[in-house]
């Protein structure tokens, strides 16, 4: 197998060079360039159909690009079959063998490769410890919860310590609470094993909380690559501004400006909003969401803004009574970000 250590030490863990993939007339991935660092937690974020899975499958070797090249650790693997690549994949649907025990599932790949039984056992136990399922070797997978099954799938993928682990919406089938818990655990495990994770999700919050860096996909292309705070605070174009976080865009003096909802304040008397950009408007909509209340404020100068306010003192009754009220809203100038003109998506259809 082409181990990553064979390549130059400073080469990225994964590199896509001008990669393109067509299915008939459909351009699934369109000239994607990307370099993912070693030990990075890298996320591909984008709406359904934007080409994330296709990219992942090309990195794994299940699909071959029509144009461009794929490198792993500095070696070109474009024509190398999946089983000879130093990567492994975790899918949303676990793909565990139901007739095998947890231990047998984790050992499966090693058994195929004729790894001696003792070593198989030892390594499977280590992998299960890593995903907090130590001692579960003899359980049947059918006796496990969804979260536990996904951990078994993770242990099975990690057991050979691949250089790169690919995860395609692995938490998609779990309910919200469990998903948030697994997000934290995956992050911790990634830190412990020191393996490059390439994580696919359509959930912007998941991408923002988990990633070192993320790429925002749209229609087979990458719109922006950056650290979560970069992408959130300085979206490269309107697509990113709208997809990552709430789209709060107003046009002022010929520029299109985005202000995140948590940066906008509803000014209460006697607050004059000194040092703030202040505008007047009317609260058109209120939704109380427990921890926060969301307001939609129609601005007299045109456009509307979403405002999110923590419910420090406000009760649901107070919140709902705000509907229709005239208000002044304000934000610090530094939080209004003018979306770069040149970077907006070109019209190509
Ligand atoms: P994502 O994972 O972001 O939802 P995909 O990579 O699965 O997106 O799909 C990208 C585009 O390619 C979509 O338009 C999808 O319908 C198309 N596509 C993906 N796989 C196939 C396939 N095997 N055959 C035909 N079209 C496909
Ligand atoms: Mg997909």
């Amino acid at each position: 197998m082409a181990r990553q250590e064979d390549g130059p030490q400073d080469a990225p863990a994964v590199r896509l060079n001008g990669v393109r993939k067509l299915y008939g007339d459909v351009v699934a991935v369109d000239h994607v360039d990307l370099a993912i660092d070693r030990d990075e937690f890298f996320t591909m974020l984008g709406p359904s159909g934007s080409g994330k899975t296709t990219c992942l499958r090309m990195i794994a070797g299940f699909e071959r690009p029509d144009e461009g090249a794929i490198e792993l650790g500095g070696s070109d693997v474009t024509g190398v079959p999946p089983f000879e690549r130093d990567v492994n994949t975790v899918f949303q649907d676990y793909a565990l063998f139901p007739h095998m025990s947890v231990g047998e599932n984790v050992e499966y790949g090693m058994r195929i490769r004729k790894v001696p039984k003792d070593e198989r056992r030892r390594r499977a136990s280590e992998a299960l410890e890593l995903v907090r399922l130590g001692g579960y070797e003899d359980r049947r997978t059918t006796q496990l919860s969804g979260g536990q099954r996904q951990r078994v799938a993770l242990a099975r993928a990690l057991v050979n310590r691949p250089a790169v682990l690919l995860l395609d919406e692995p938490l998609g089938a779990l309910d919200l609470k469990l998903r948030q818990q697994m997000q934290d655990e995956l992050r911790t495990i990634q830190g412990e094993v020191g393996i490059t994770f390439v994580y696919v999700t359509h959930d912007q919050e998941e991408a923002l909380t988990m990633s070192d860096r993320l790429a925002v996909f749209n229609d087979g292309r990458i719109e922006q690559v950056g650290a979560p705070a970069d992408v959130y605070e300085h979206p490269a174009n309107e697509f990113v501004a709208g997809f990552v976080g709430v789209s709060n865009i107003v046009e002022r003096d010929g520029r299109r400006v985005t202000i995140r909802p948590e940066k906008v304040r509803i000014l209460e008397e006697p607050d004059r909003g000194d040092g703030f950009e202040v505008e007047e408007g009317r609260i058109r909509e209120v939704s109380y969401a427990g921890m926060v209340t969301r307001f939609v404020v129609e601005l007299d100068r045109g456009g509307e803004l979403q405002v999110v306010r923590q419910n420090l003192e406000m009760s649901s009754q107070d919140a709902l009574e705000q509907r229709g009220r005239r208000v002044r809203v304000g934000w610090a100038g530094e939080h209004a970000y003018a979306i770069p003109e040149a970077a907006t998506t070109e019209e190509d259809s």
Side-chain angles (χ1 to χ4, degrees):
M1 185 187 297
R3 301 295 299 190
Q4 275 209 0
E5 289 73 38
D6 299 346
Q9 273 309 304
D10 53 354
V14 180
R15 190 201 282 278
L16 278 68
N17 283 330
V19 167
R20 193 155 201 259
K21 178 73 191 175
L22 300 149
Y23 293 108
D25 293 343
V26 177
V27 184
V29 173
D30 200 6
H31 292 114
V32 162
D33 293 305
L34 192 60
I36 300 171
D37 295 332
R38 286 180 197 223
D39 299 349
E40 199 171 20
F41 196 116
F42 190 93
T43 298
M44 296 178 175
L45 170 69
S48 171
S50 59
K52 308 177 301 290
T53 294
T54 305
C55 272
L56 215 63
R57 290 176 60 81
M58 289 191 286
I59 298 169
F62 300 131
E63 302 284 351
R64 203 172 163 157
D66 294 299
E67 281 175 40
I70 308 237
E71 286 175 21
L72 291 174
S75 308
D76 190 321
V77 296
T78 315
V80 174
F83 57 90
E84 286 179 17
R85 298 188 187 197
D86 195 7
V87 302
N88 219 332
T89 310
V90 177
F91 302 97
Q92 178 179 326
D93 59 4
Y94 324 132
L96 298 177
F97 300 115
H99 57 283
M100 291 184 193
S101 70
V102 167
E104 285 165 344
N105 263 282
V106 179
E107 286 180 35
Y108 180 77
M110 292 186 280
R111 210 175 79 210
I112 298 297
R113 283 181 292 105
K114 310 242 185 306
V115 174
K117 194 168 174 178
D118 286 353
E119 190 185 339
R120 257 164 37 204
R121 286 279 147 81
R122 184 179 54 76
R123 285 169 57 185
S125 294
E126 273 174 24
L128 285 167
E129 288 285 343
L130 189 66
V131 300
R132 331 266 182 260
L133 283 180
Y136 276 65
E137 284 81 347
D138 296 329
R139 301 273 189 106
R140 310 230 60 93
T141 57
T142 47
Q143 298 172 326
L144 303 179
S145 69
Q148 289 171 331
R149 276 184 219 181
Q150 193 52 297
R151 284 177 221 225
V152 176
L154 187 63
R156 188 178 59 183
L158 286 170
V159 75
N160 294 324
R161 302 285 165 134
V164 178
L165 188 67
L166 308 172
L167 303 104
D168 196 353
E169 313 239 7
L171 309 182
L174 307 179
D175 63 49
L176 182 63
K177 257 222 165 89
L178 192 53
R179 205 158 73 219
Q180 286 169 340
Q181 185 192 332
M182 285 292 289
Q183 287 168 7
D184 293 341
E185 287 195 18
L186 273 177
R187 236 346 304 210
T188 309
I189 291 167
Q190 193 264 341
E192 284 173 18
V193 292
I195 288 176
T196 307
F197 275 33
V198 184
Y199 192 92
V200 162
T201 183
H202 64 270
D203 182 328
Q204 48 116 351
E205 201 174 307
E206 188 161 287
L208 291 174
T209 44
M210 297 180 82
S211 326
D212 294 316
R213 285 190 311 150
L214 56 101
V216 182
F217 277 71
N218 178 27
D219 220 2
R221 296 172 192 230
I222 293 179
E223 300 277 1
Q224 187 172 7
V225 180
D230 276 353
V231 173
Y232 186 73
E233 288 168 9
H234 302 122
N237 55 44
E238 292 201 16
F239 176 81
V240 177
F243 192 74
V244 184
V246 169
S247 171
N248 238 358
I249 298 172
V250 289
E251 195 158 341
R252 291 289 176 265
D253 313 318
R255 296 187 318 164
R256 291 177 65 79
V257 169
T258 172
I259 311 143
R260 295 305 188 180
E262 70 278 11
K263 304 292 192 205
V264 184
R265 279 192 223 177
I266 294 175
L267 301 170
E268 302 292 349
E269 297 296 341
D271 189 347
R272 300 207 321 266
D274 289 341
F276 274 40
E277 312 271 331
V278 177
E279 290 199 22
E280 299 196 359
R282 193 182 66 89
I283 296 179
R284 182 168 70 74
E285 227 173 85
V286 179
S287 45
Y288 176 82
M291 221 189 305
V292 297
T293 299
R294 291 191 198 90
F295 302 90
V296 178
V297 178
E298 237 168 35
L299 299 172
D300 295 351
R301 286 184 63 196
E304 53 182 38
L305 284 180
Q306 282 204 43
V307 182
V308 173
R309 184 147 106 179
Q310 240 189 312
N311 290 327
L312 293 171
E313 270 100 38
M314 191 175 294
S315 70
S316 65
Q317 186 64 28
D318 296 340
L320 295 171
E321 280 171 4
Q322 307 279 316
R323 188 172 288 138
R325 215 187 108 202
R326 290 211 44 90
V327 283
R328 285 177 313 132
V329 291
W331 58 87
E334 77 221 53
H335 291 139
Y337 177 71
I339 298 169
E341 296 266 341
T344 46
T345 352
E346 61 238 63
E347 310 284 335
D348 57 356
S349 52

